[in-house]
Structure formats: C-alpha cells, structure tokens
Amino acid sequence: MQGGVFMTAKNSKPRPPRPGRRSAGGKPNLVLVLLCSFGCGVGAALILLAIMAQIFAHTALSLDLVKPFASAAAAIGALISGYVLANGVRQKRLLCGVACGAFYCLCLFCATVLRGTVPVIDQQNGTLLAALLLGGTLGGGLSALGAPGSAPQR
C-alpha cells in the first residue's frame, strides 16, 4: 500500500481502496453506521410487531393491550438502534443513544404532521415518546457499559 492506494503485482497502476466501514483515517463511515442503525432498529420493531400480531390473532388477549405492546416494540427497536449506533460511532455512546431516541420521536412528530393532524401529547402519546427516548438512551448506555475500558477496574 502506498499513500492509501493499493498497488497490484501485475501492473503499477494504483487501484482505489475498497469501500468499507472505516474511512482512510480509521474512523467509522458515519452514513453507513446511521443506515445500519436505522435498519436494525426498524427491522427489530417490525419483527416484534409481527410476532405480537400473531399472538393477538391466536389468543384471547384483550385488544386494550395493543397500544402498550406496540409501544414496547418501538422502544425495543429504539434500544437496538441506539446500541448499534453507539457501537458504530464508539464515542459519546450515551449521547448517541439519546440522539437515536430523539430521532424516532422526531419521526413520530413528522408522521403526525404529515397526516394532517395537530400533534397532541396526551397520556398515550407521551408514554410512546418517553418509551422511545428511554429505549434509545438505554441502548447507548448498554453500549457504554459493554465498551472496553468503561467498567471500573478493581
């Protein structure tokens, strides 16, 4: 390797480095980390919602439990998203988790506005917003606790 460019044995023409998770300076590719975090969080929430739909379809559970279970699925999705983002960035992990939760709250707000209704923070919506924020924060916190060198040495 010469100056960040790979040389081949057949010819002396430099070939650009392959795209990866790290840029030339060894720092993570932020766009890729953000997309991976978003995909993991939304994918996990969708899988949980599908499982819960099957549970509600095949059992006699009260339909009053749909909103709390959906909020729990969204919170777990935010937790996974915050964890993946914090592990990808590897700096200020708790802040990454809070940012993830705040991003999902902003998405919820924008979806409400695009639907043409006025955003109202009542008990149900406030619980969902708090679950999203706490889920993302918990994901970032779990990532910080599992980071090497973050636990106190005894």
Side-chain angles (χ1 to χ4, degrees):
M1 191 166 131
Q2 181 181 10
V5 178
F6 293 100
M7 304 293 283
T8 61
K10 294 179 184 177
N11 56 14
S12 60
K13 291 182 182 177
R15 123 182 108 122
R18 293 181 181 168
R21 295 192 70 162
R22 303 268 173 208
S23 61
K27 295 182 181 179
N29 186 352
L30 188 59
V31 173
L32 186 62
V33 171
L34 286 171
L35 288 175
C36 182
S37 169
F38 181 73
C40 289
V42 170
L46 286 176
I47 290 171
L48 287 172
L49 286 172
I51 291 170
M52 289 179 193
Q54 288 297 316
I55 290 171
F56 276 105
H58 297 293
T59 61
L61 287 175
S62 172
L63 293 180
D64 293 334
L65 296 174
V66 170
K67 180 77 173 180
F69 279 6
S71 295
I76 292 172
L79 183 142
I80 291 172
S81 187
Y83 185 82
V84 171
L85 180 66
N87 275 340
V89 173
R90 295 186 179 152
Q91 293 177 353
K92 300 180 182 175
R93 294 177 187 241
L94 188 61
L95 185 61
C96 287
V98 171
C100 240
F103 171 74
Y104 286 118
C105 288
L106 182 67
C107 287
L108 182 65
F109 177 78
C110 290
T112 305
V113 169
L114 288 175
R115 196 174 73 182
T117 59
V118 177
V120 176
I121 300 178
D122 55 357
Q123 183 179 2
Q124 287 183 345
N125 293 335
T127 304
L128 178 58
L129 291 173
L132 289 172
L133 277 172
L134 290 175
T137 304
L138 185 61
L142 288 175
S143 173
L145 288 176
S150 64
Q153 301 290 328
R154 291 186 180 188

